[in-house]
């Protein structure tokens, strides 16, 4: 929220600069995003009076203007604005001036006619398009008639003010107003501040005969209306327009501007209705009914939800409560009677309605954080008073009250001993009491005990810890003495799980993969793909976008998105891994369980083409080798098997395997199905995903080291015919089991299935390596072990030894 430094100084006697004030606010209250002075960087921009004008001889839209800029002779300026007219006071950038965007204005010729400067719009001197009054949005701005030609425009337009942009936290809704900020600054600087008290003049008829309110006080604890008749709609005075655009708001007319001004000053959102557009005299605060619609002031249509709070007349909704008014009762140039609404709405309903309808307004921001429930009537009276003064309105007698449920102020006990013990200081009772009283709290002291009554406007203070924070920040965090912590120190270290996860990254990066980080939120379709176990999706109640609306249940789709991103940019060789959590939810449960996973995806080639070798596309066995190497690095050296998987529709049938450890599935690997790859707009891609939590939890095999044998090894080759359904794993397991004590390794070196072997058979050939670590092996011992293996292969697998 932008707050004016000059506006603050009207109420608080400060002798500090705007920058110093902002620094103090940031150290004590809320964060300050910036301090800006709109006039900085601009020069030689003055008031000009258009004495006369004539059409440019060589243009159908340019005008040659005679402009008084305070010099002895008027200046000739060529202007193309459609709303330029004689007799106007305008903004003039003189030759040599600097305007918005650091643009320098020079004397020039426009289609052969000399132009000594430029007549400017507000946008051209740095104003945002969002704050320029609509009647001047496409042309120059017309200054007040009492502006003096030749004087700088900065003071007239409020550009010589310093604007402090407060980033107000959700708990400090009281600082979304001038009055709330003033109360905080009065405590910070220990200075008195006197705030305006409205003195509304009621000269009209009794409002009870003209307006009846029907309010559910659970939806709106306070709801009030005032009625002002004989309104004259016109532009607001210059001072009010300056207040609004310096706060980032567009001036509209005197009625709407008054409601926005009161919101800035009091922090109480107001809304002005055209009373003559009501259907009847009854106004209802209720929830929306099925099928009801509302066209809001921004001319957008909204389908209302049954939880939306609406303001309605006897026929239909006329406003979305606390968010935005309806177009049907909007203030127009023909409005003569205004009903002003001041209320407190239930904050959760307002937040959800603003999110549901994508209408995050200044009003909803304040209602979400909580407004001063003790100041609703004051804000309403102040608005009525201003309409009397600025719109010549007749304020009707009395206030229509639909609900008036004001909360009791919080009463919090506290002891001085506790204050000093927690803050680590030695404050006196007088100092603590004074700090709390400067904040507007009422303090009763009895010995060491304080009983603090918190004003209703500070709805963020409920417990003693809140009071401790107030005391500390007003006393000054930088004044609290610094001390070193005491106590027994312990050495920090990683847990076993943290060490394994860190080792996971090192292992996969050593295998040639690069780390990727994807969003944990995805679409429902992607969340349901590549599932390792059945799960219900977990949807966000209020997603930021449809692409990030569901918690992921796999890691692979995020990696495929990353590969698609690279592929679209002509990067064909991509090898990625990601470590993170997936979220599974059992049917009937509200919250998902989190599970740590690791996944990888490879496309293109792992080894690029070189002078001595051709590039080879990645295949199943390369990715399987990565997984095997990773599991070995993680000390998962036990019974790891790979079993064909035909139950994952997203994976290529025949090129996908489940990964089992001791018979338990911990993951899968294989090729992404071509239809899925086409959907992601990527080429052939191989992926794997492992349950990292299962790897963390399983017992690990410690690496065993042995001396290298000094004695020679003996090898034997064996070739055999086996049935097609006999796997390499079965053969290797049998050889290792029956190969004897001296068998060191079994290596498959040939596979053949073709016309030279019987149908339904395949040929496998292995090299068996034997070695005795303590003596030289003799052929008889090797031959006996080899023959035993041959017989077992024939008996158990039906092999034909070749």
């Amino acid at each position: 929220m932008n707050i004016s430094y000059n506006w603050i100084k009207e109420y608080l006697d400060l002798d500090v600069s705007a920058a110093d004030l902002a620094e103090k606010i940031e150290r004590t209250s809320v964060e300050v995003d910036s301090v800006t002075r709109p006039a900085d960087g601009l020069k030689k921009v003055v008031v000009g009076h258009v004495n006369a004008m004539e059409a440019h001889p060589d243009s159908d839209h340019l005008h040659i203007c005679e402009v008084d800029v305070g010099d002895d002779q008027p200046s000739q300026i060529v202007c193309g604005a459609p709303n330029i007219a004689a007799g106007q006071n305008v903004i003039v950038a003189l030759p040599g001036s600097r305007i918005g965007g650091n643009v320098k204005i020079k004397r020039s010729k426009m289609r052969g006619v000399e132009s000594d400067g430029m007549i400017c719009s507000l946008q051209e001197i740095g104003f945002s398009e969002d704050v320029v009054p609509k009647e001047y949005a496409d042309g120059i701005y017309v200054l007040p008639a009492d502006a003096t030609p030749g004087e700088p425009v900065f003071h007239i337009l409020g550009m010589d003010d310093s604007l402090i942009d407060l980033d107000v936290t959700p708990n400090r809704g009281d600082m979304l107003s001038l009055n709330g900020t003033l109360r905080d600054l009065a405590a910070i600087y220990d200075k008195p501040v006197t705030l305006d008290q409205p003195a509304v003049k009621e000269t009209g008829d009794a409002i009870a005969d003209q307006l009846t309110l029907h309010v559910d006080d659970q939806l709106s604890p306070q709801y009030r209306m005032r009625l002002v008749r004989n309104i004259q709609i016109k532009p607001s005075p210059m001072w009010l327009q300056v207040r609004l655009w310096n706060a980032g708001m567009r001036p509209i007319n005197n009625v709407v501007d008054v409601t926005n001004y009161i919101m800035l000053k009091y922090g109480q959102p107001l809304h002005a209705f055209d009373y003559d557009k009501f259907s009847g005299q009854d106004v209802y605060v209720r929830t929306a009914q099925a099928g009801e619609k509302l066209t809001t002031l921004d001319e957008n249509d909204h389908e209302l939800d049954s939880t939306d709070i609406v303001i309605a007349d006897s026929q239909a909704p006329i406003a979305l409560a606390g968010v935005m008014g309806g177009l049907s009762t909007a203030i127009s140039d023909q409005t003569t009677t205004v009903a002003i609404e001041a209320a407190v709405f239930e904050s959760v309903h307002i937040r959800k309605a603003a999110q549901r309808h994508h209408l995050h307004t200044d009003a909803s921001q304040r209602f979400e954080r909580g407004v001063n429930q003790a100041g609703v009537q004051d804000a309403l009276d102040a608005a009525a008073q201003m309409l009397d003064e600025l719109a010549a309105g007749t304020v009707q007698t009395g206030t229509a009250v639909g609900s008036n449920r004001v909360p009791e102020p919080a009463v919090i006990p506290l002891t001085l001993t506790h204050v000093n013990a927690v803050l680590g200081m030695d404050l006196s009772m007088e100092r603590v009491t004074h700090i709390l009283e400067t904040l507007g709290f009422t303090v009763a002291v009895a010995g060491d005990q304080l009983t603090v009554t918190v004003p209703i406007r500070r709805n963020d203070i409920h417990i003693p810890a809140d009071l401790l924070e107030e005391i500390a920040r007003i006393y000054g965090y930088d004044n609290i003495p610094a001390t070193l912590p005491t106590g027994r120190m312990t050495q920090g270290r990683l847990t076993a799980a943290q060490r394994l996860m860190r080792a996971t990254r090192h292992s996969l990066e050593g295998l040639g993969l690069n780390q990727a980080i994807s969003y944990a939120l995805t679409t429902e379709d992607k969340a349901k793909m590549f599932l390792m176990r059945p799960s219900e999706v977990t949807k966000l109640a209020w997603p930021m976008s449809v692409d990030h609306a569901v918690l992921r249940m796999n890691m692979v789709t995020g990696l495929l998105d990353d590969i698609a991103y690279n592929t679209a940019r002509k990067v064909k060789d991509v090898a990625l891994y990601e470590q993170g959590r997936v979220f599974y939810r059992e049917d009937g449960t509200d919250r998902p369980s989190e599970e740590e996973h690791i996944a990888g995806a490879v496309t293109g080639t792992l080894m690029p083409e070189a002078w001595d070798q051709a590039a080879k596309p990645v295949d199943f066995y390369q990715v399987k080798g990565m997984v095997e190497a990773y599991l070995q690095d993680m000390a998962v050296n036990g019974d790891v098997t790979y079993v064909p998987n035909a139950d994952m529709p997203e994976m290529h049938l025949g090129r996908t395997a489940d990964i089992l450890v001791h018979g338990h599935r911990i993951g899968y690997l294989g090729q992404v199905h071509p239809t899925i790859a086409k959907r992601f707009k990527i080429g052939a891609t191989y992926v794997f995903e492992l349950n990292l939590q299962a790897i963390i939890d399983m017992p690990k095999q410690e690496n065993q080291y042995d001396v290298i044998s000094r004695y020679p090894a003996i090898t034997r080759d064996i070739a055999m015919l086996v049935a097609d359904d006999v796997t390499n794993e079965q053969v290797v397991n049998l050889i290792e089991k029956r190969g004897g004590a001296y068998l060191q390794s079994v290596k498959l070196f040939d596979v053949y299935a073709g016309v030279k072997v019987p149908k339904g058979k395949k040929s496998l050939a292995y090299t068996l390596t034997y070695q005795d670590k303590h003596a030289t092996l003799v052929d008889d011992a090797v031959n006996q072990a080899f023959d035993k293996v041959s017989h077992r292969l024939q008996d158990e697998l039906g092999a034909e030894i070749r």
Side-chain angles (χ1 to χ4, degrees):
M1 183 191 79
N2 278 341
I3 192 162
S4 162
Y5 175 69
N6 290 343
W7 201 6
I8 290 174
K9 292 197 68 175
E10 289 180 13
Y11 295 89
L12 204 58
D13 182 20
L14 296 176
D15 56 358
V16 298
S17 67
D20 290 341
L21 176 61
E23 192 270 339
K24 188 70 170 178
I25 292 173
E26 182 154 32
R27 279 193 291 117
T28 310
S29 297
V30 296
E31 186 175 348
V32 175
D33 283 343
S34 63
V35 180
T36 58
R37 186 174 178 272
D40 287 348
L42 308 183
K43 67 176 183 178
K44 299 181 72 174
V45 182
V46 301
V47 177
H49 181 78
V50 182
N51 296 329
M53 56 177 285
E54 61 183 27
H56 193 292
D58 294 327
S59 173
D60 60 354
H61 70 281
L62 296 178
H63 297 86
I64 303 172
C65 304
E66 181 186 287
V67 184
D68 178 6
V69 292
D71 295 337
D72 294 338
Q73 297 295 324
S75 298
Q76 177 177 283
I77 302 176
V78 179
C79 179
N83 62 332
I84 187 72
Q88 293 175 337
N89 285 336
V90 295
I91 303 168
V92 176
L94 300 174
S97 64
R98 295 279 182 177
I99 61 173
N102 199 33
V103 175
K104 185 175 182 179
I105 301 302
K106 303 177 182 179
R107 285 187 175 87
S108 61
K109 285 187 177 182
M110 298 188 69
R111 299 196 179 181
V113 177
E114 293 280 350
S115 182
D116 292 334
M118 176 181 177
I119 299 176
C120 299
S121 66
L122 290 177
Q123 297 95 315
E124 288 168 329
I125 60 172
F127 278 65
S128 167
E129 189 76 38
D130 296 335
V131 305
V132 176
K134 288 186 177 180
E135 60 267 34
Y136 302 118
D138 298 320
I140 60 167
Y141 184 75
V142 179
L143 295 168
D146 59 356
T148 303
E151 72 170 323
V153 301
F154 306 128
H155 178 71
I156 299 171
L157 299 175
M159 299 179 72
D160 58 348
D161 194 1
S162 293
L163 307 179
I164 303 172
D165 186 5
L166 304 181
D167 187 5
V168 179
T169 51
N171 66 312
R172 291 304 306 272
D174 60 300
M175 290 197 69
L176 287 171
S177 66
L178 173 72
N179 287 356
T181 303
L182 287 172
R183 291 187 180 101
D184 223 54
L185 292 176
I188 292 170
Y189 286 98
D190 198 9
K191 289 181 176 290
V193 61
T194 302
L195 304 180
D196 298 333
Q197 293 300 315
V200 61
K201 294 186 295 183
E202 300 175 331
T203 57
D205 298 332
I207 195 172
D209 300 329
Q210 307 172 69
L211 195 62
T212 304
L213 305 181
H214 308 272
V215 180
D216 181 348
D217 65 0
Q218 297 300 315
L219 303 176
S220 177
Q222 289 197 61
Y223 193 85
R224 302 164 184 263
M225 272 190 171
R226 271 195 176 275
L227 208 59
V228 184
R229 292 187 177 273
N230 305 318
I231 288 289
Q232 297 178 17
I233 302 295
K234 57 185 177 181
S236 297
M238 194 67 194
W239 69 266
L240 180 51
Q241 293 192 47
V242 168
R243 285 278 185 262
L244 293 179
W245 63 44
N246 275 350
M249 294 182 173
R250 186 198 303 274
I252 297 174
N253 57 51
N254 52 352
V255 173
V256 177
D257 292 352
V258 163
T259 62
N260 286 332
Y261 174 80
I262 294 300
M263 180 179 68
L264 293 174
K265 186 174 182 180
Y266 287 83
Q268 172 64 52
L270 305 177
H271 186 68
F273 297 93
D274 188 328
Y275 173 78
D276 294 326
K277 296 177 181 177
F278 285 0
S279 294
Q281 296 184 2
D282 293 284
V283 173
Y284 300 84
V285 179
R286 58 174 175 80
T287 54
Q289 298 171 1
E292 285 189 318
K293 298 180 180 180
L294 175 68
T295 302
T296 47
L297 290 172
D298 57 4
E299 301 184 8
N300 287 323
D301 296 328
H302 299 273
E303 293 276 353
L304 298 178
D305 187 88
S306 60
T307 58
D308 290 335
I309 306 175
V310 297
I311 314 302
D313 58 21
S314 59
Q315 298 294 324
I318 56 176
L320 186 57
V323 181
M324 186 176 286
L327 190 62
S328 63
T329 55
I331 303 298
S332 66
D333 292 342
Q334 289 72 45
T335 298
T336 58
T337 304
V338 172
I340 313 170
E341 167 200 86
V344 176
F345 296 108
E346 202 278 318
S347 60
V348 174
H349 278 79
I350 301 304
R351 183 176 68 252
K352 290 184 176 180
Q355 291 175 327
R356 185 181 301 111
H357 297 287
H358 305 290
L359 289 173
H360 296 280
T361 61
D362 292 301
S364 68
Q365 181 189 30
R366 286 163 172 81
F367 282 125
E368 288 171 16
R369 287 160 172 76
V371 298
N372 178 15
Q373 298 197 41
V376 177
Q377 186 66 47
D378 284 348
L380 186 59
D381 290 345
Q385 177 184 340
M386 290 188 69
L387 290 182
D388 177 23
E389 297 169 354
L390 302 181
T394 303
V395 181
Q396 304 302 287
T397 302
T399 300
V401 179
S403 59
N404 186 25
R405 183 159 55 86
V406 181
E408 292 294 325
V411 179
I412 304 172
L414 192 65
T415 65
L416 181 63
T417 302
H418 182 63
V419 171
N420 286 323
V422 173
L423 300 184
M425 296 188 292
D426 189 20
L427 297 177
S428 65
M429 181 65 79
E430 291 74 19
R431 185 64 182 272
V432 171
T433 302
H434 180 72
I435 289 174
L436 294 173
E437 288 176 343
T438 60
L439 287 164
F441 301 174
T442 302
V443 184
V445 179
D448 190 54
Q449 180 79 31
L450 299 91
T451 303
V452 183
T453 303
V454 181
I456 295 171
R457 60 182 170 81
R458 288 302 302 274
N459 58 14
D460 59 313
I461 297 178
H462 308 283
I463 59 176
D466 297 330
L467 293 177
L468 294 176
E469 180 184 1
E470 295 297 296
I471 295 168
R473 72 182 186 85
I474 299 302
Y475 179 77
Y477 292 126
D478 48 344
N479 294 325
I480 297 176
T483 57
L484 293 174
T486 59
R488 185 175 180 180
M489 305 299 289
T490 59
Q491 181 180 359
R493 63 186 60 176
L494 299 176
T495 64
Q498 290 170 331
R499 289 197 301 271
L500 189 141
M501 285 190 281
R502 183 169 294 185
T504 287
R505 295 195 294 270
H506 293 164
S507 175
L508 294 177
E509 286 164 10
L511 291 167
L513 295 117
N514 295 307
Q515 185 178 19
I517 300 176
S518 304
Y519 288 111
L521 298 172
T522 184
T523 65
E524 185 170 350
D525 287 343
K526 290 180 181 178
K528 291 179 177 179
M529 299 170 69
F530 301 99
L531 289 181
M532 288 179 59
R533 67 181 175 91
S535 173
E536 296 294 319
V537 296
T538 305
K539 299 180 180 179
L540 270 65
W542 302 105
M544 295 294 291
S545 72
V546 294
D547 292 332
H548 302 93
V550 174
L551 288 172
R552 68 185 176 192
M553 297 186 291
N554 69 82
M555 305 286 292
V556 168
T557 52
L559 294 174
L560 296 184
D561 284 334
D562 295 337
I563 288 178
Y565 180 91
N566 283 274
T567 300
R569 286 153 182 79
K570 309 300 182 184
V571 180
K572 302 298 183 182
D573 300 332
V574 184
L576 301 173
Y577 81 92
E578 181 173 7
Q579 176 189 316
R581 293 181 181 180
V582 297
F583 304 86
Y584 295 131
R585 185 170 65 86
E586 302 295 336
D587 190 15
T589 59
D590 294 330
R591 296 181 180 274
S593 60
E594 301 180 23
E595 194 169 272
E596 201 76 34
H597 276 211
I598 187 77
V602 185
T603 187
T605 62
L606 285 175
M607 297 295 293
E609 185 177 2
W611 67 271
D612 60 343
Q613 64 180 13
K616 183 180 179 181
V618 66
D619 59 21
F620 176 89
Y621 297 103
Q622 287 180 309
V623 176
K624 179 173 177 284
M626 287 181 175
V627 173
E628 287 179 331
Y630 165 70
L631 293 176
Q632 188 173 6
D633 286 346
M634 297 302 106
V636 183
N637 300 323
D639 184 17
V640 180
T641 55
Y642 300 85
V643 179
N645 181 311
D647 297 329
M648 296 186 70
E650 300 85 12
M651 300 296 289
H652 196 303
L653 184 64
R655 299 183 184 178
T656 302
D658 285 337
I659 305 167
L660 281 65
V661 177
H662 300 296
H664 298 285
R665 183 173 184 258
I666 67 164
Y668 64 91
L669 67 91
Q671 183 181 355
V672 175
H673 197 282
T675 58
I676 302 298
K678 184 177 180 181
R679 176 176 165 183
F680 279 88
K681 298 180 181 179
I682 59 178
T685 301
Y686 288 83
V687 299
F688 66 86
E689 183 166 352
L690 300 171
N691 183 344
L692 184 57
Q693 190 61 52
I695 296 174
I696 292 171
D697 295 340
M698 69 176 56
K700 306 298 186 299
Q701 290 189 3
E702 297 294 334
N703 288 322
Q704 299 294 324
Y705 298 94
D706 202 353
V707 296
I708 299 174
S709 176
R710 295 178 297 168
Y711 301 98
I714 297 175
T715 62
R716 292 285 189 270
D717 292 341
I718 184 171
M720 68 197 79
L721 287 176
V722 294
D724 281 340
D725 59 356
V726 174
T727 65
N728 171 67
E729 183 180 22
Q730 290 176 288
V731 175
V732 172
N733 287 343
L734 180 58
I735 294 174
E736 289 179 342
K737 183 178 180 180
R738 304 299 183 182
Y742 302 127
L743 180 65
Q744 297 297 311
S745 68
V746 181
K747 182 178 180 182
L748 175 68
F749 68 85
D750 183 64
V751 179
Y752 178 75
V755 295
K756 295 185 178 181
V757 296
K759 187 176 181 180
K761 298 281 188 176
K762 60 183 175 184
S763 173
L764 302 177
Y766 297 85
T767 296
L768 283 60
T769 302
Y770 297 88
Q771 187 176 39
D772 185 350
K773 297 178 181 178
H774 306 292
T776 301
L777 272 178
V778 296
D779 286 340
D780 288 344
V782 173
N783 291 338
Q784 290 177 11
F786 186 75
D787 290 341
K788 187 177 181 180
V789 166
S790 299
H791 291 309
R792 289 293 184 176
L793 288 171
Q794 295 174 55
D795 294 342
E796 297 185 20
L797 297 180
E800 298 178 28
I801 307 302
R802 303 179 66 188

